[in-house]
Amino acid sequence: MGKKFSGISQTMSRFRGWIQAGATLLTNLHLPNFLKGGLYQGAGKTVCVPGLNCYSCPAAFGACPIGAFQAVVGSSKFSFSYYITGFLILLGVLLGRFICGFLCPFGWFQELLHKIPTKKLSTKRLKPLTYLKYAVLLVMVFLLPAFLVNDVGMGDPFFCKYLCPQGVLEGAIPLSLANSGIRAALGKLFTWKFSILLSVIALSVLFYRPFCKWLCPLGAFYALFNRVSLFQMKVDKNKCISCGKCARACKMDVDVTKTPNHTECIRCGMCIRACPTKAVCFRYGFGDGKDKAKAAETLQTNNNNREE
Amino acid sequence: MSCEKKAAAQIVLLMAGAAMLCFGVWRGEAATVLSKAIKLCLECVGIG
C-alpha cells in the first residue's frame, strides 16, 4: 500500500471536522437569507446536494435529494424519478457513504452534539435497528408518495412531512424567527416534528449519529452502494497486527479488518487514526486494487530473487 | 466479488446512473424539482 495513500487518508481523517464544516457552508451558501426570512430561488435548486439538507432552509443552495425524489413521484405527472435515482446511483458509486461521513450537514450536526461531554452509550446491541432505515426508504420515500395519492394524483412527501427533523432545524425554526406569518401558521404537525428533532438531539448526545444509523433514507440508499463504491477502505494484511484497535475505535460498529466496505461504514477514518501500524487507508479507483497489489508483490519477490 | 467483476459492476452502474439522470432531465423531472425547491415546502417545515 503506497505511503501516498496512507498520508492522504491520515490528513483527510484528521481534518474531517473542517471538511464537514466547509461542505455544510457550501450546501448553504445564501446565508443572508436567514435575516431576510426568504428562500434562495435561483436555478441552482434544479441540482441536488449530496447530503440531507432541506430545500426550505433559507440558505440552501440546492435541492435535497430525498425531498426532490418525493416531489417528483408525488406530482401528478410522474410516479418514479429517474433524474434523482440516477443522480443517487452516480453519487453512490463515486463516493458511497463517504458522503455521510464528510459531506452531510445533518451528520455533522449530530457529531457536534455527540461532543457534549456526558456519558456515552454503545449502539452495538441495537444493530437490528440499522435495518429500519431501509424500511423508511422503501415505504416513506418510494411507495407512499407514489401510491397514496389524492383525486388529482398527487401524493404527500411522507418522509419530509412526518419524520425528517432537518426541515424543522433548517427551515421552520429560522423562518419562523424571521417571519411572523410563518410563525402564526405553525400547528400540530410542527409540534410533532419538533418533538422528533428534540428526540434526535437528545439521542445524538448519548449515541453516535442515531439518525444516520437507524432512520436516514439517504444513508440507506448510499449504503446499498458501499460495496461497489470507488471510494473504499483498504486494509494491508501484511501490516495488520490484529490488535483490534480499529474495531474498538469505530463508532459505527464496523470491524474494518473483516468487512472494509460494510454498509454502515461512513469512511470517517477513525480506524485509520487508531491503527498503530498504518495498515488501514482510503483507496479510490475501479476494482478493489488486489490485482495491482498482487502484481507489485510478485515484482518485489522477483527482484529479491534476482538480487540473491 | 473478484476485481474484474467489481470494476465491471462499477462501470455498468455509472453508465446506468448517467442514463437515468439524462432520461429524467429529458422528460422534465428537473423542472418539477426546481418548481418545488424554490417554494417553501409546507410539509417540510411542519405547516402541513
Side-chain angles (χ1 to χ4, degrees), chain A residues 196-228:
Chain A
I196 290 178
L197 175 64
L198 288 182
S199 307
V200 170
I201 289 173
L203 286 172
S204 300
V205 177
L206 298 172
F207 299 105
Y208 183 74
R209 287 180 170 241
F211 187 80
C212 308
K213 282 180 181 173
W214 304 325
L215 293 173
C216 184
L218 192 57
F221 197 95
Y222 291 141
L224 298 173
F225 293 90
N226 240 16
R227 276 189 68 192
V228 290

Side-chain angles (χ1 to χ4, degrees), chain A residues 166-189:
Chain A
Q166 185 73 316
V168 172
L169 177 71
E170 288 189 315
I173 294 174
L175 286 169
S176 62
L177 289 173
N179 188 322
S180 59
I182 291 173
R183 198 160 54 240
L186 299 175
K188 277 184 186 171
L189 185 61

Side-chain angles (χ1 to χ4, degrees), chain A residues 1 23 25 36 38 57 63 86 138 154 160 194 199 211 220 251 286 305:
Chain A
M1 193 185 307
L25 183 67
K36 291 176 197 164
C57 171
L138 183 69
M154 292 176 78
C160 296
F194 190 66
S199 307
F211 187 80
K251 291 181 179 176
F286 287 97
N305 289 344

